[in-house]
Amino acid sequence: MKRIEVKLSLAVVAPLLDVIKSVSDSLDDQLAAPVQLERIDEDLRENWRDELVAAQNGDVQSLLALFDSDFFSSGVVNFDEDNADAILRACAAVRLRLKDQFLEEIADEVLESGEVELEMMPEEQRRYFMCYLFLATVQELVIEHLEPSVS
């Protein structure tokens, strides 16, 4: 099984984990990317939505679980083929929520390029942006090293 081990700076990542946790709390009962289910029977729609929310929240919990006590003692996080898909989905969900709630005035092109003047941002928005970039980097690592279709 493929596995990658990444050493991260605790001083940089710890505050970002607080952001991820607060965003994950806001996802408890909402989808990061709402889907249109109006054409579906109301009972089925509610069950389907609940299942999607539960799956999303399970993925986010898998992401947060990577940053356990071992991480705080070593600074190392491990990604493998077993957690890759959940980590990708969790990063996407948190990034979507960050974009929708805290970074909405920044154009998508600017967000994706990372070419933002950090010193011009308010401190709180800077934390959200740094978290957005961190999660993008995690996604890139997983895709580059663990996705079977990418060689």
Side-chain angles (χ1 to χ4, degrees):
M1 172 186 345
K2 282 184 170 179
R3 178 184 179 109
I4 57 173
E5 193 174 272
V6 181
K7 176 93 170 150
L8 300 169
S9 166
L10 290 172
V12 172
V13 175
L16 303 179
L17 295 176
D18 292 337
V19 172
I20 294 170
K21 176 66 176 121
S22 71
V23 170
S24 75
D25 290 345
S26 78
L27 291 170
D28 275 347
D29 195 35
Q30 297 178 2
L31 288 171
V35 293
Q36 302 298 321
L37 303 173
E38 285 76 27
R39 293 189 195 174
I40 299 173
D41 174 72
E42 187 175 337
D43 291 335
L44 179 57
R45 177 178 44 209
E46 191 171 318
N47 287 336
W48 193 0
R49 185 196 155 290
D50 291 347
E51 287 178 21
L52 290 171
V53 169
Q56 169 189 270
N57 293 338
D59 291 342
V60 172
Q61 290 310 310
S62 294
L63 172 65
L64 288 170
L66 294 174
F67 303 97
D68 57 8
S69 59
D70 289 341
F71 168 74
F72 282 99
S73 63
S74 69
V76 173
V77 67
N78 295 293
F79 304 104
D80 59 41
E81 292 171 333
D82 289 339
N83 68 12
D85 288 337
I87 299 308
L88 289 173
R89 290 188 301 263
C91 288
V94 174
R95 288 178 73 209
L96 282 169
R97 181 52 55 98
L98 286 167
K99 167 67 175 134
D100 290 345
Q101 287 193 340
F102 307 106
L103 304 170
E104 66 275 354
E105 70 273 1
I106 301 173
D108 290 342
E109 304 80 36
V110 174
L111 272 176
E112 292 307 313
S113 71
E115 295 179 14
V116 174
E117 293 183 36
L118 289 176
E119 60 278 352
M120 301 301 286
M121 282 184 163
E123 177 64 31
E124 187 172 1
Q125 187 182 42
R126 189 177 316 143
R127 282 187 34 230
Y128 295 127
F129 178 71
M130 296 306 295
C131 186
Y132 187 91
L133 288 181
F134 169 67
L135 293 171
T137 303
V138 168
Q139 287 178 303
E140 289 173 14
L141 283 169
V142 170
I143 290 168
E144 183 177 333
H145 295 288
L146 295 176
E147 284 295 299
S149 62
V150 178
S151 300

